[in-house]
Amino acid sequence: MVAAPALADRRLLAASSTPALGATQPTEPEYFITIKDGDFVNGCELFFPAGWNQWEVVEAAGGAPYLSGASLPANLTGPGLVRELLDRAQANGLNTMRTWAFTVDERFALQTAPGEYNEAVFRGLDYLLDEARQRGIKLILAFTSNWTPVGGLPQYLEWAGETAPVQFYTNPSIASLFKAHVTAVTSRVNTINGRRYSEDPTIFAWNLINEPRCTGCPAGTIAAWVKEMAAFVKQADPNHLLTVGEDGFFAAGGTANPGVQYTEWAAEEGQDFIADHSSPDIDFATFHTWVDNWQEVTPEWQSAWIAAHADAAEKTLKKPVLQEEFGKWVNETDPDSNLDDRLVFMQAAYDQTSQLQRAGSALKGSLFWQWYADGQIAPLTEGGGRGLYGIYESDAAFRPVVENAAVAAKLSAPVAGCRPAGADVPPPANCSDTWVDGAPETGMEGPTCALPINECVRGTDTCAPEAACLDDPEGFACACFWGYAGDGETCAPDAAALKTLASAYWSEPEAGACDPGADVAWPSDAPGYRYDALGAYTNDYGSRANVSLLECQIACQMAPTCESITYNAVQETCFLKRSQCPIYNFCYDPKEIMCNSTESRAGEVIEYSIPCGFWLTYYRLDMDVDAACAAFTYPGVATGANPDVVDGFREFAASPAAAELDHFMIAPAVEPEAEAAVPAATTPAASVTLVAASADKPT
């Protein structure tokens, strides 16, 4: 029988020499983006932003074991996804990404309490900045958002004990909290390349807040807040450009607003495109375009909206302007929201952008929402696949993105009479002497090459997809999963063993388990395990990556006390169990899990639920049924019991197939707290423990 080799037998890939400190990589001059005569300038070249918005990219860069907005592709870690996106962006001529200087998932919060930060998450932003630097891609970073309950306006209100949105813009205590976050971010020193954020030319600009709203507030409330905060940010960081980050609604009477002539809802949201961007500390203007959300679903309205902002920026504000967010839904249940429909809107927006760029207007670029790498899948609440907003590189709608990037590159001409001056930033240290087998991003990193890299989180290991990666301070180890043989870098399946394992489980079809049993820790060398680099999990139970039913069974085989598994085929999630009594496997009909979601459309919050699959339990036919059922006590369970199933278990347990499995669990079961601990990641522990949501976990 093929089993995973003992850890001592695994080949450890380790560094062969000590770092040569002080060695640096050759670097090209780097420049802060500036504005000259109404144009963005990079050094002495005109700069036209061409790029995209990315959700949860900081979480991914930090090594989050999962993403909720769009899944991690199979066999790709979060940092690997970041590298993939940045590589493809560079190949397609894109030069700008917009994202957040906070996080959106409560399990991976950057700021866990006022003034307290999760260092591992902050290192995710460090990593994103350094990877973007290496590819010449600039980042627009927002300090906060109107919408997100983590890192956003609702979080600040909660910390201050307030509920009314107007308090965010007028309460001195909340203003102090926001300024403290600005200070923490701008003064941050990147742990990878040693650059202070305020001195890093990789950052194109800051957004004060994504889509500020203050419904029914006195006129000028947002504009006054912008004026105060813009002056503060410029004092903290005079090197970078600054903008607001708003939708771009005009004040009452603005004929370009969505809803006009039938409603003034947009003007009532508290924004004033002109007033909000009038502060001398706001360097350029932004607007967003959401034809579906705002129920203005015609290319003609989209064109008029873009033109109105280009005109207002040029004639009134006399500042450059970006269409900072725009997109078009795809809804497979709506015949008017298909991929062809999206292409019409995307093509029109980029054709108009290119035309205005060539004409020398104030509109300097457009950033679409949002990019999906191959293998990323939207959550079930958006129907999976590309969901409402995801755009794959293979989609026809990606073509105008690339076409506009080519136009932007051609327009990037030298600026007459300009003398370039490189940004005064330290070059990153060369830690190549610590690389494992000569592979970049292994071994050590940091200004003194003393920060260990978790290659398993970083995705820079050389382990096969059928193998576990186990981190070591100086390298990593690879070990084939149970049922596979090899050195960890290559693993060949034992077809007979896997077939035997797959047939070694019993479950009444369409039946759930009324006996919850006890959870078993997920083995760190089994499929479905991922290092929790950001400190999100409060226990070691359940798969951390999507698994098939067979992979779930393999994990049970590798866990010494596992007797059964509880699996959801829709969510592809598994829990390992012990001491469940199979006699009561079908005492009630299982209930389908419902996934809840909320959306904001034209200022209205819409809540809905969709089915998310069933939790079904599968029992190992070589388990100790008598012991499990002897200990079984579950009030009210009497009907539906089927003691005859025990005969099937005993028959299998006496068969040669059961003996071939060589299961480890024959020793007496232990209590959950006494089980072997899962090895921790070498990434430094987070500064706070976050409570995992329990809604998706079966009982």
Side-chain angles (χ1 to χ4, degrees), residues 329-419:
W329 286 356
V330 168
N331 186 343
E332 299 298 339
T333 64
D334 184 349
D336 295 324
S337 297
N338 55 33
L339 289 174
D340 291 338
D341 191 45
R342 169 184 277 177
L343 177 59
V344 169
F345 282 82
M346 293 284 290
Q347 188 72 61
Y350 275 115
D351 284 348
Q352 186 174 6
T353 298
S354 296
Q355 181 182 2
L356 290 171
Q357 287 172 321
R358 291 190 185 100
S361 81
L363 183 69
K364 302 303 177 184
S366 294
L367 310 179
F368 75 91
W369 184 288
Q370 73 165 342
W371 197 353
Y372 275 22
D374 288 344
Q376 281 197 283
I377 299 174
L380 294 173
T381 49
E382 292 186 16
R386 59 174 55 79
L388 292 174
Y389 306 107
I391 299 178
Y392 294 111
E393 189 176 341
S394 58
D395 288 354
F398 197 78
R399 185 182 65 240
V401 176
V402 178
E403 291 171 348
N404 176 254
V407 171
K410 289 181 179 179
L411 291 173
S412 298
V415 177
C418 176
R419 291 185 178 181

Side-chain angles (χ1 to χ4, degrees), residues 356 626 652:
L356 290 171
D626 293 333
F652 181 88

Side-chain angles (χ1 to χ4, degrees), residues 149-233:
V150 177
L153 182 149
Q155 181 81 83
Y156 285 96
L157 291 177
E158 180 183 338
W159 284 336
E162 301 287 353
T163 56
V166 68
Q167 292 293 322
F168 178 82
Y169 302 100
T170 59
N171 187 313
S173 297
I174 295 179
S176 296
L177 292 175
F178 178 78
K179 289 177 180 178
H181 178 60
V182 168
T183 299
V185 172
T186 57
S187 63
R188 167 81 175 180
V189 176
N190 193 308
T191 56
I192 296 174
N193 59 36
R195 296 179 176 182
R196 190 175 300 275
Y197 282 18
S198 63
E199 299 170 353
D200 188 350
T202 304
I203 298 172
F204 172 178
W206 301 107
N207 276 181
L208 284 176
I209 178 173
N210 175 61
E211 298 183 349
R213 301 285 183 94
C214 195
T215 307
C217 296
T221 298
I222 291 178
W225 180 85
V226 168
K227 183 177 180 180
E228 177 186 354
M229 296 306 164
F232 180 83
V233 172

Side-chain angles (χ1 to χ4, degrees), residues 3-14 436-437 442 454-456 459-472 475-482 484-491 524-526 531 558:
L7 182 59
D9 297 332
R10 296 168 185 160
R11 184 168 62 91
L12 178 64
L13 306 176
V436 177
D437 288 356
T442 60
N454 186 323
E455 294 84 0
C456 307
T460 51
D461 61 274
T462 56
C463 301
E466 303 82 10
C469 176
L470 301 165
D471 187 56
D472 179 89
F476 58 92
C478 298
C480 294
F481 298 140
W482 185 96
Y484 294 84
D487 62 3
E489 294 189 340
T490 58
C491 299
S524 60
D525 54 355
Y531 282 95
M558 299 178 72

Side-chain angles (χ1 to χ4, degrees), residues 75-125:
N75 300 318
L76 197 64
T77 67
L81 173 62
V82 169
R83 295 193 300 274
E84 173 72 15
L85 285 168
L86 291 173
D87 284 343
R88 297 310 305 157
Q90 184 181 41
N92 284 291
L94 306 185
N95 58 27
T96 304
M97 176 202 289
R98 176 177 178 259
T99 190
W100 320 127
F102 59 95
T103 50
V104 298
D105 192 307
E106 64 179 351
R107 299 191 192 184
F108 312 128
L110 173 61
Q111 190 174 187
T112 57
E116 297 181 12
Y117 291 83
N118 184 324
E119 174 62 17
V121 178
F122 235 146
R123 289 186 183 181
L125 187 51

Side-chain angles (χ1 to χ4, degrees), residues 291-325:
V291 296
D292 294 287
N293 300 53
W294 302 340
Q295 300 175 15
E296 294 282 5
V297 194
T298 68
E300 292 76 19
W301 185 89
Q302 175 182 267
S303 177
W305 178 251
I306 294 172
H309 288 85
D311 188 67
E314 181 175 353
K315 296 178 180 177
T316 305
L317 292 171
K318 302 186 186 306
K319 297 178 180 181
V321 64
L322 290 182
Q323 183 175 216
E324 193 180 51
E325 274 187 28

